[in-house]
Amino acid sequence: MDSENSIRKNELLYQSSIGGLWTNNSDETFIVKAPKYWKWKDAHGNEVPSSNISEKNVTKLLKVTKIIMAPGAKDKHHPFHDGNVVVGRFPGWHRCKGWRKNEKKRCGKMIKLAQGDELPMCTVSDCSGRDVKDNKGFRKSTYAPIRFMLICSNGHIDDFPFHEWVHNTDTCNNHQLRYNDEGIASGLKGIKIECETCSTEVKTKYRTMEGAMLAENFKKKEISCKGKSPWLNNEQCQCDADVTGVQKSSSNILFPIVNDYIFCPTYDSLPSWIKNYIDTDARGEKIKDIKSMAPNLPATDWIKPFTHGLESSKIDELMRHTDEIMEYIEPTKNTEDEFENSNKGMKQREYERFHNFPESQKLDDFTVVRPDISSYSEFISSTIKSITLLEKLRNTRIYVGFTRVRPISEEDGGTSYKEIIKKCYGENQVLGDIIRGEGIYMEFHPSLLQEWAERTEVKSRFDILNTEAKESLNQNGGIKYMMLHSFSHALIHEMSIYSGYNTSSIRERIYLGDDGKNGKMCGILIYTASGDSEGSLGGLVRLGEPQHLEAIMRSAIEKAMWCSSDPLCSHSIPKGLDEKNLAACHHCLLLPETSCENQNQFLDRETIISQNNGKLGVFKT
């Protein structure tokens, strides 16, 4: 069924995204379908193609044909057509909340609806749900979705098998069931699923929902996954994975995989206004399309159709730079080839722009300022090698897909993205959004961190982790990653107090390892994760200036010395997801998961500064 676009844009990239559940104002629950089923309309209500984001490095990395702009985006660089997100009713099982007048008990009649069905009225003769009216006098259904369903680790989701649950067989699928939650017991034991067909006046045939969340109960009944994908119009495939019962509010129904990428502009001698003009409305991609259709035309003919509305002086300047424009749009010397086509390669590109992009080229999507490190105090310069203030940056956020049961791990990423995208979208495309903001990049002295990581005290700290956690941490860069990650979290907590952004609106990216040019990356980027279409509030970049940064860093480091949960926080270790954290908890280092690039894993404030061991922390008291 169709739903008006009342799902917020941020919801479409997280919990209420494709394959996730969404509840409307009437408490009806739906599953969000893939974009290939959505309807895109212009201001006059006519159907049009979706708006797409031009980010060729990202499309190449994810091996997709296009990135669809999420509905609700208001972006002057990407004129947006209104889109109607299409949803389907799910779960299908519903129960009547009315009362049976003669028996003076809840009706509880259960029915199973298809995705496009409207809520019906109850057909039980003495049920009060037959004639319920809203405040305008219209008849109103009392059916509500039942909160139980099945999921599997391959991403499928299905209705709960109530008939099999009650009868221990699938031969009674036409029996009439009743949902009874008036039991004297608490929790799932107090919910009974009754079969009115099998019940007699003497004995009621029923089973409680106790144990409905345990996977082993379905193994015993040989109930396996049916491979259903209701977000893809109930496509079905062969799947023998174990299923587990969940409730509608369970967090393991959907673990969204959302990746962020910082826009990396091409830099050359073109004036900034021309670059901005070519990038706006994806004019560069449209010029390339014209060139591909008529390759023998001169460059002036490819570009001329896009000069409408410009002043004559600007048109003349545009035509003087036709060769440079074509090189900008379609470079013959591809400087990106030196970087890997991977998440690591994407970070290498970003790192390179932070250090080398000309300060004079002030683009709408990327503007950098590099203060002289000597203008900062010795407290900062002794640890920080360089600072880059990103006054403007563009963050492309991609909803890659989702997992169920467990979140995606480091081992699952990258190579399996293609499979995840196919399962989520049913085709090689992804949903994304563009957020413009600001950021601060801080590069540490690599030799300083290397010397620190080789200390006996630091190695002993690393040995506390179990073998699996050590291997996982080594894949990210070892104990140096833990230090950079912990310091980043401490700094975000402090900067949120000063900048005007709340903590969930600030994000991090850690740069560590080979930079792709025989050098080493060793830094952190702290940037805004939300902002209006014009950019940002400006409060974050200001904190990176020499007159402000030292006080913020000192305060962040001092707060890392102590936690209100100490000594429990600093000594009862390891902890957290898969025991990958040391001295870190919700009172000190943990951030909202949307702010952290690694699911709040690999954190230890003792690596920043330690009261227990003076040689353990990078910073000193």
Side-chain angles (χ1 to χ4, degrees), residues 414-426:
T415 55
S416 66
Y417 277 171
K418 184 177 181 180
E419 184 180 349
I420 290 171
I421 290 169
K422 189 70 175 177
K423 284 183 180 179
C424 177
Y425 294 91

Side-chain angles (χ1 to χ4, degrees), residues 565-583:
S565 293
D566 278 343
L568 191 65
C569 176
S570 59
H571 291 298
S572 64
I573 50 181
K575 60 175 78 70
L577 181 63
D578 296 329
E579 298 185 341
K580 293 178 180 177
N581 286 340
L582 298 178

Side-chain angles (χ1 to χ4, degrees), residues 20 30 64-65 94 103 105 144 185 199 222 258 269 291 295 321 417 444 456 459-460 473 492 564 581 587 591 596:
F30 305 89
V64 295
T65 55
H94 287 66
E103 301 175 46
K105 63 181 181 181
S199 297
E222 297 184 349
V258 182
S269 58
K291 179 187 173 185
H321 288 88
Y417 277 171
F444 282 71
T456 304
K459 290 180 179 179
S460 298
L473 179 57
I492 287 174
S564 59
N581 286 340
H587 296 287
L591 289 173
C596 177

Side-chain angles (χ1 to χ4, degrees), residues 526-582:
I526 296 174
Y527 64 103
T528 53
S530 63
D532 61 24
S533 60
E534 296 301 319
S536 65
L537 301 175
L540 195 62
V541 161
R542 186 169 178 267
L543 300 184
E545 295 173 352
Q547 63 269 34
H548 302 296
L549 188 58
E550 181 176 351
I552 293 168
M553 276 185 61
R554 284 188 181 276
S555 180
I557 293 166
E558 287 173 6
K559 288 179 180 178
M561 293 175 63
W562 183 83
C563 172
S564 59
S565 293
D566 278 343
L568 191 65
C569 176
S570 59
H571 291 298
S572 64
I573 50 181
K575 60 175 78 70
L577 181 63
D578 296 329
E579 298 185 341
K580 293 178 180 177
N581 286 340
L582 298 178

Side-chain angles (χ1 to χ4, degrees), residues 250-382:
S250 299
S251 60
N252 61 346
I253 286 180
L254 187 108
F255 292 103
I257 304 168
V258 182
N259 288 357
D260 282 29
Y261 304 98
I262 305 301
F263 172 68
C264 293
T266 303
Y267 48 92
D268 46 40
S269 58
L270 262 183
S272 294
W273 81 265
I274 293 181
K275 287 185 180 181
N276 288 328
Y277 185 75
I278 294 298
D279 289 336
T280 301
D281 299 350
R283 289 190 180 97
E285 295 300 315
K286 294 173 184 175
I287 292 171
K288 282 169 63 177
D289 290 341
I290 294 175
K291 179 187 173 185
S292 65
M293 290 186 288
N296 296 323
L297 286 176
T300 51
D301 290 338
W302 298 328
I303 297 169
K304 192 174 293 181
F306 300 94
T307 60
H308 180 71
L310 282 178
E311 299 173 5
S312 57
S313 59
K314 287 201 169 184
I315 293 175
D316 292 340
E317 186 177 3
L318 204 66
M319 292 305 174
R320 287 198 302 271
H321 288 88
T322 53
D323 292 338
E324 293 96 323
I325 290 171
M326 296 313 299
E327 180 65 25
Y328 174 71
I329 294 170
E330 208 167 20
T332 54
K333 181 183 178 182
N334 192 351
T335 56
E336 306 300 338
D337 288 342
E338 60 196 83
F339 301 114
E340 299 176 27
N341 183 28
S342 62
N343 282 319
K344 178 183 177 182
M346 294 294 286
K347 282 194 173 182
Q348 289 173 341
R349 288 183 183 89
E350 295 165 12
Y351 175 87
E352 195 273 342
R353 299 307 193 271
F354 298 158
H355 286 279
N356 298 320
F357 190 80
E359 293 182 59
S360 58
Q361 292 194 36
K362 300 188 179 299
L363 304 180
D364 285 351
D365 290 336
F366 200 85
T367 298
V368 298
V369 174
R370 300 185 188 89
D372 192 333
I373 196 64
S374 63
S375 62
Y376 292 87
S377 66
E378 185 181 352
F379 172 77
I380 293 175
S381 60
S382 60

